[in-house]
Amino acid sequence: MPKTSPLITLMFLFAVASVALAEGMQQNAKTPQAMRQLATISTTKEAIEALRNACTYEPDNTRNWWLLGDVYLQGGNIAEAEGAYTQMHILARTAAQSNPDDLDAQRVLSVSYEKIGDIQKAKWAFTGALTSYHQSLNIIKLLAQKDPSNVLWQHHISVSYNNIGDIQEFKGDLAGALASYQAAHAISQTLAQKDKGNAQAQTALALSYGKLSDVTEGVESKAFLQNGKDILERLNRENRLTAEQKELWLPAFQAALAQ
């Protein structure tokens, strides 16, 4: 069985609705776009209400269902999250099949498989989750082959490998998990080196060190933890950690290293 680590609490922390922040707020507060933006700055209850309204106004918009599922999942409502992600997946699959040359439609389909996998993981349906994560990975790898310079797609590949590694670790396949985490780490390391000023790339690298530490032992495991902690402590000194990363991630690395 895999060893227990405080870092396991980080498994869902990359499920954020950051796409809404990039869209900007429209003046008409009743537009679905504004509702999605409102959801990112509101309480969970208000966010759910805003996103449900967005889904009503634009029921064929995959992003509405995507963000609604994220809010439900972050609130621990697995059943409602599953419903939202299922609707997202249906819409994404239809769009991807109708527009096979639309790369963004293919990317959203990949994300929808990832979200379905998140639900299956939350329900301890590990075999199904592993299949979903592989489907997500296969799609995004094809996209990355068409545009290897696309940082978002490269990051998505690393997330997919981490997701697969999580399931392998939970199932006790530590060798498989190590291989998956190493694949994710190689990408995260490349992205972090290319953009040293990007805090998200740096924290993704720190997380990958934490995952590697979970499936290694002794000096090697401690070295991975130290590398991850060093990154987070540097970002903290530079005031570039989010509140969640400062309050949860950094203490988790410190506690794991102290064991």
Side-chain angles (χ1 to χ4, degrees):
M1 294 296 293
K3 60 184 180 180
T4 302
S5 166
L7 297 176
I8 204 68
T9 60
L10 302 182
M11 61 184 292
F12 288 123
L13 294 182
F14 277 131
V16 295
S18 58
V19 288
L21 293 173
E23 293 178 339
M25 178 71 80
Q26 294 183 3
Q27 291 185 353
N28 182 357
K30 291 186 178 181
T31 65
Q33 184 175 346
M35 291 172 190
R36 291 193 295 270
Q37 180 69 15
L38 175 63
T40 69
I41 57 176
S42 306
T43 65
T44 299
K45 182 178 180 180
E46 292 169 338
I48 289 173
E49 182 178 357
L51 288 168
R52 286 175 65 90
N53 287 336
C55 290
T56 298
Y57 278 94
E58 282 187 341
D60 294 332
N61 189 318
T62 54
R63 185 165 294 170
N64 294 336
W65 297 102
W66 174 351
L67 297 179
L68 180 60
D70 283 350
V71 174
Y72 275 132
L73 186 59
Q74 290 166 357
N77 193 330
I78 304 301
E80 294 288 358
E82 182 174 16
Y85 287 150
T86 298
Q87 185 61 28
M88 172 199 176
H89 179 68
I90 292 171
L91 294 170
R93 186 174 56 194
T94 299
Q97 290 174 346
S98 301
N99 304 282
D101 296 326
D102 186 335
L103 300 187
D104 188 62
Q106 300 298 323
R107 181 186 73 87
V108 174
L109 178 60
S110 176
V111 173
S112 76
Y113 275 115
E114 177 188 322
K115 298 299 183 178
I116 295 298
D118 288 345
I119 293 298
Q120 292 167 319
K121 178 167 62 176
K123 296 171 68 175
W124 294 68
F126 292 152
T127 299
L130 196 59
T131 297
S132 296
Y133 287 145
H134 273 295
Q135 288 171 313
S136 177
L137 176 62
N138 290 340
I139 295 171
I140 201 65
K141 285 176 71 174
L142 288 175
L143 293 180
Q145 289 175 5
K146 297 179 180 180
D147 184 5
S149 65
N150 191 306
V151 172
L152 176 62
W153 294 349
Q154 291 296 326
H155 175 66
H156 192 168
I157 291 174
S158 72
V159 170
S160 293
Y161 275 123
N162 276 332
N163 286 333
I164 290 169
D166 288 345
I167 301 302
Q168 292 168 321
E169 182 180 352
F170 291 149
K171 295 181 71 174
D173 178 11
L174 299 189
L178 177 59
S180 296
Y181 290 154
Q182 286 173 331
H185 179 75
I187 296 172
S188 295
Q189 194 167 42
T190 297
L191 295 179
Q193 289 174 345
K194 285 184 177 180
D195 192 355
K196 295 182 179 180
N198 188 317
Q200 182 180 3
Q202 299 300 316
T203 53
L205 178 59
L207 181 67
S208 77
Y209 277 121
K211 289 183 178 295
L212 286 171
S213 76
D214 274 352
V215 290
T216 52
E217 300 288 345
V219 174
E220 185 179 26
S221 178
K222 292 289 187 181
F224 286 138
L225 282 172
Q226 187 66 54
N227 288 339
K229 185 173 79 73
D230 287 347
I231 293 172
L232 293 177
E233 288 181 340
R234 173 174 57 81
L235 293 173
N236 188 40
R237 289 194 300 271
E238 296 169 356
N239 199 30
R240 292 201 292 155
L241 289 182
T242 66
E244 187 173 53
Q245 291 163 351
K246 184 175 182 178
E247 295 169 8
L248 295 179
W249 292 35
L250 185 53
F253 271 86
Q254 292 168 336
L257 196 56
Q259 289 183 346

